[in-house]
Amino acid sequence: MSTIVKKLYKIVNETVFPPKCLVCRSFIPAPEGDYNGFPGQADLSLSVQIQVERLLSKYLCRNCIGGLVAVDSPLCSCCGLPFESRQGIDHRCGDCSASPKKFRMARAPLVYERIFTEVIHCYKYKGKIQLARPLGELLLTAFRLFWDKDSIDVVVPVPLHLKRLRKRGFNQAYLLIRNWQTIAGQVPLDLSDLQIERDVLSRNVATAPQTGLGRRQRAENIKDAFELLDETKIIDKRILLVDDVYTTGATVDECARLLLDHGAAHVDVLSLARAV
Ligand SMILES: [Zn+2]
Ligand SMILES: [Zn+2]
């Protein structure tokens, strides 16, 4: 399609089917121009809240965007839990002090509250697979905000059990990182040293859903559920594990244990949302 035809198509499409907010279904005014919200290097000084607003403005109305909650300091320096008190500096939370985690640090851009939960549900369960792109951009933005890109060698998604993978048709964590190199190429941002590896871990035990389980039950439920498929990809490597939601951290901690037992240098964790 020529550029003019594409533009006409876009205008007609948006007039006949104006975009609706994923959460509250109100109409969203079309953004002006072909605005790409993915931040350039200079934009990284802007807050997480502004990054989120730019990346999700095509999918959520202003009201719903305003209801999203960014994860902000002070937070747990290990598991990334934002503290209720908005005073003070980052430090280890009680849980991480009492039972140290195998991973080094976990971070997420947004709190798993009502609106973002709905967005993630649209992506995972309601067929809005096109959200993989903006959510992947959000995740890459968070990676750049929380890590020096040269401090990670390999990015590994938390795997799904084959049964669940067949039912859903995709691994939500892998789809979020699959296009990182392409997205980075548009900024441009050099991620050529970063390996994105889908086939490092597999999930061999179809664990019962973790929802509704307490911390100890979750850890018990997930124990030995994973298997390492290819040791050569992780030996002496600095790993970033990726998942959609961090709840108690039992899943990623079990993956981290396995990776470290087989020689990974260290394991960090990035997710879209952090349950509080
Ligand atoms: Zn809305
Ligand atoms: Zn913690």
Side-chain angles (χ1 to χ4, degrees), residues 103-120:
F103 59 78
R104 221 174 45 145
M105 68 176 226
R107 293 292 182 270
L110 287 170
V111 171
Y112 197 47
E113 46 59 65
R114 185 181 64 84
I115 291 171
F116 201 46
T117 301
E118 184 55 35
V119 173
I120 291 180

Side-chain angles (χ1 to χ4, degrees), residues 70-124:
V71 173
D72 235 332
S73 279
L75 43 80
C76 171
S77 46
C78 176
C79 74
L81 175 75
F83 295 121
E84 260 174 52
S85 159
R86 301 279 77 211
Q87 309 279 311
I89 54 165
D90 296 356
H91 57 277
R92 236 160 228 265
C93 73
D95 177 52
C96 289
S97 302
S99 46
K101 302 285 181 279
K102 298 286 189 297
F103 59 78
R104 221 174 45 145
M105 68 176 226
R107 293 292 182 270
L110 287 170
V111 171
Y112 197 47
E113 46 59 65
R114 185 181 64 84
I115 291 171
F116 201 46
T117 301
E118 184 55 35
V119 173
I120 291 180
H121 278 221
C122 284
Y123 168 53
K124 272 169 80 173

Side-chain angles (χ1 to χ4, degrees), residues 21 23-26 61 64:
C21 173
V23 175
C24 70
R25 311 299 299 155
S26 66
C61 71
C64 290

